[in-house]
Amino acid sequence: MAKDKKGVRLEHISKIYKDPKTGKDFYAVHDTSLDIEPGSFVTLLGPSGCGKTTTLRMIAGFESPDEGEIYLGNEAINALTPNKRDTAMVFQSYALLPHYNIFDNVAYGLKIRKVPKEEIKERVTKILELVQLSGMESRMTNQLSGGQQQRVALARALVIEPSVLLFDEPLSNLDAKLRVSMRTEIRRIQQEVGITAVYVTHDQSEAMAISDKIIIMNKGKIAQMGTPEEIYYQPNDEFVADFIGEVNFLRGKMKEARGEYAVIDVDGNDIIVKNSEKLMIGENYTAVLRPEAATLADCGGVPCRVILSCFMGSYQNYHVMVGNTLVKLEEHNPKNKKIYKVGDTCSLVFAPESVHVL
Ligand code: ATP
C-alpha cells in the first residue's frame, strides 16, 4: 500500500528548551544522529524526560530542531510543515473527531486532500478491513472501547498512505492485557503494509516485542541503538543494561587470563568470563549477568549464600550473596529442580559466554 518505502535520517539534531523553573536553556535533545531503515520498526525508549517525544515531534514537524537536519528518504524536511511531510502520527489520546462516525473519522484526511468520493470509499473500506473494524462504519467514536478507538486512530493515519508512521505512546491509555494484544496488532499491520514506523514508549517489554531496532535514549542523547537482542545481551553501558530487563552487576579486577577466558576477582571470588582482547590484567571491569543466565547447584561454581527463595509459578526467584555482592536469579521451570532455602550455602553456576563485560 505504501507508495515507496522511505527511511528517516537525523543529522546532529538538537532541541533547546527553556527550563520553566530556572529560566535557563537546556538541551532536550542533544546532537543526535540516527538512521532508520525504510520499512523497519524502530522504537525510541527511555526514562521520562529523556527526549523521546521531542525527537518524534521533530520528525513529525510539530517542533523544529535548533540544530541539525532531518531527512525523509533523500529529502531534507526541516522547512516543511507537518501536513507536507509524508508522515502521519498516532497519538496516545487517539485525537478522534467526537461527533463523527468511524467512516467519517477515517475519511477525514482524504476529504481535506480532495480525494474523489469513490476512491475515499474504497480506501476507507480497505483500511477498516486491515484494522478489523469492517461493518462498524456507522458507529460513533464515543461508543467504542479504548482498543477500538486506537484502531480507528491507526486507520486514520494509514489511510492517507504516508511513508512513515509515527506513534506517540499509543497504548498508554489501555489496560495491560489489551496493550499486549494491540502491540501485536500494530506490528502485524506495520509488516503487512511494509511501512516505516517510529514508536515512542517507556515500556521496555513493549519495545522488545514490537521492534526491529530499539534506540535507548538518556538525557537527550542516544545511549545505544540495536536489535532487541543486541541491547539485551550486549549493552554499551550500565544505564542500558539496567534499563532493559533485570540485571546483576559483578564488579571486580581482572586477575589473570586463562586461554580464551579471563578471571575477574569479585569480592575474593573468581568469576570466569569470556576474554575479549580488550580485557587487561589489573583493570576494573563490570560483568553483566542476567537473572535467567545462572543457576544454583551444590558445587562447581562461585560460592554463594541464599538470602531469598521465593516460588513465582514459572520460576523460583533467588537472591544470593557472592561475597558482598547481591545476585538475583530466576530458576525457570523449578518443579523438578532442587529448591534451595534461605541460609543455604551453595554454588552459583553460569557459562562464561553468558556474561557480558563492560
Ligand atoms: P515522557 O516519557 O515523560 O513523555 P520524553 O522522553 O518523551 O518523556 P520529552 O517530552 O521529549 O521527554 O521532554 C524532554 C525534556 O524537555 C523534558 O525535560 C521536558 O520537561 C522538556 N520539554 C518538553 N517539551 C517542552 C516545552 N515545550 N518547553 C520546555 N520544556 C519542554
Side-chain angles (χ1 to χ4, degrees):
M1 186 199 81
K3 300 152 286 184
D4 51 345
K5 291 183 192 176
K6 283 186 196 159
V8 179
R9 203 168 78 248
L10 270 57
E11 283 188 359
H12 302 288
I13 289 295
S14 292
K15 179 71 191 175
I16 300 167
Y17 285 130
K18 217 175 251 322
D19 185 318
K21 270 196 203 138
T22 62
K24 280 190 184 153
D25 286 350
F26 74 100
Y27 280 100
V29 175
H30 194 190
D31 195 17
T32 289
S33 297
L34 62 92
D35 205 343
I36 296 171
E37 278 171 37
S40 67
F41 198 117
V42 171
T43 298
L44 299 168
L45 176 69
S48 182
C50 70
K52 313 179 288 287
T53 305
T54 303
T55 304
L56 192 78
R57 289 175 62 82
M58 286 193 285
I59 298 172
F62 300 129
E63 302 282 353
S64 40
D66 293 300
E67 294 156 12
E69 189 66 61
I70 301 177
Y71 295 85
L72 202 71
N74 293 323
E75 188 188 11
I77 58 168
N78 281 24
L80 300 182
T81 54
N83 59 340
K84 295 262 154 53
R85 281 200 181 195
D86 204 8
T87 60
M89 180 100 121
V90 180
F91 296 91
Q92 182 178 343
S93 57
Y94 316 132
L96 301 180
L97 304 163
H99 305 297
Y100 286 55
N101 63 25
I102 291 184
F103 184 94
D104 291 335
N105 258 282
V106 179
Y108 184 78
L110 298 177
K111 274 187 191 150
I112 58 172
R113 283 171 177 78
K114 306 228 173 341
V115 174
K117 230 174 165 179
E118 268 311 296
E119 189 185 332
I120 291 182
K121 184 145 197 321
E122 207 177 289
R123 280 167 67 173
V124 172
T125 304
K126 212 166 120 202
I127 289 293
L128 289 179
E129 223 168 86
L130 185 71
V131 300
Q132 296 176 343
L133 285 176
S134 296
M136 295 182 70
E137 288 80 353
S138 56
R139 283 276 281 277
M140 301 303 281
T141 50
N142 58 6
Q143 300 167 347
L144 300 176
S145 69
Q148 288 167 331
Q149 288 186 47
Q150 195 50 276
R151 281 170 202 269
V152 178
L154 185 56
R156 279 186 75 183
L158 282 167
V159 82
I160 59 168
E161 300 183 3
S163 293
V164 180
L165 208 47
L166 306 170
F167 294 91
D168 187 9
E169 306 235 13
L171 307 181
S172 301
N173 291 335
L174 304 179
D175 68 54
K177 217 163 181 183
L178 194 53
R179 263 203 323 260
V180 170
S181 65
M182 272 306 287
R183 77 189 187 201
T184 315
E185 269 297 271
I186 287 177
R187 179 60 160 161
R188 173 187 68 80
I189 290 164
Q190 179 265 340
Q191 284 180 323
E192 207 166 314
V193 177
I195 196 169
T196 310
V198 189
Y199 189 99
V200 163
T201 182
H202 57 262
D203 180 335
Q204 44 119 344
S205 56
E206 199 166 290
M208 297 269 263
I210 211 167
S211 316
D212 292 310
K213 292 241 172 92
I214 296 175
I215 297 168
I216 306 264
M217 292 191 70
N218 185 23
K219 297 182 184 153
K221 292 193 166 196
I222 294 178
Q224 188 168 355
M225 176 166 179
T227 64
E229 291 83 358
E230 283 164 352
I231 299 271
Y232 190 76
Y233 291 121
Q234 286 128 38
N236 279 348
D237 55 30
E238 291 194 21
F239 173 83
V240 174
D242 201 24
F243 194 77
I244 200 124
E246 276 280 355
V247 73
N248 298 294
F249 296 122
L250 306 172
R251 295 188 174 85
K253 226 185 247 315
M254 178 170 163
K255 219 166 98 174
E256 58 179 274
R258 283 187 202 158
E260 54 181 324
Y261 298 104
V263 183
I264 296 178
D265 178 336
V266 176
D267 299 340
N269 296 285
D270 286 355
I271 304 283
I272 317 267
V273 300
K274 188 101 174 118
N275 194 0
S276 65
E277 273 144 39
K278 66 175 190 198
L279 301 189
M280 306 225 298
I281 292 172
E283 292 292 318
N284 285 316
Y285 295 103
T286 300
V288 177
L289 178 68
R290 296 288 179 189
E292 71 281 9
T295 183
L296 292 184
D298 291 342
C299 56
V302 184
C304 65
R305 188 168 46 83
V306 178
I307 60 164
L308 179 130
S309 174
C310 192
F311 177 60
M312 303 298 288
S314 66
Y315 66 95
Q316 186 79 12
N317 187 23
Y318 290 115
H319 289 185
V320 302
M321 296 302 293
V322 172
N324 294 321
T325 303
L326 171 71
V327 179
K328 298 172 183 172
L329 297 184
E330 286 174 14
E331 184 86 68
H332 284 265
N333 197 13
K335 196 170 181 200
N336 298 317
K337 290 184 184 147
K338 175 171 177 180
I339 300 300
Y340 292 87
K341 300 186 301 298
V342 171
D344 286 351
T345 50
C346 51
S347 206
L348 177 70
V349 180
F350 52 86
E353 289 74 12
S354 57
V355 176
H356 176 69
V357 181
L358 298 174

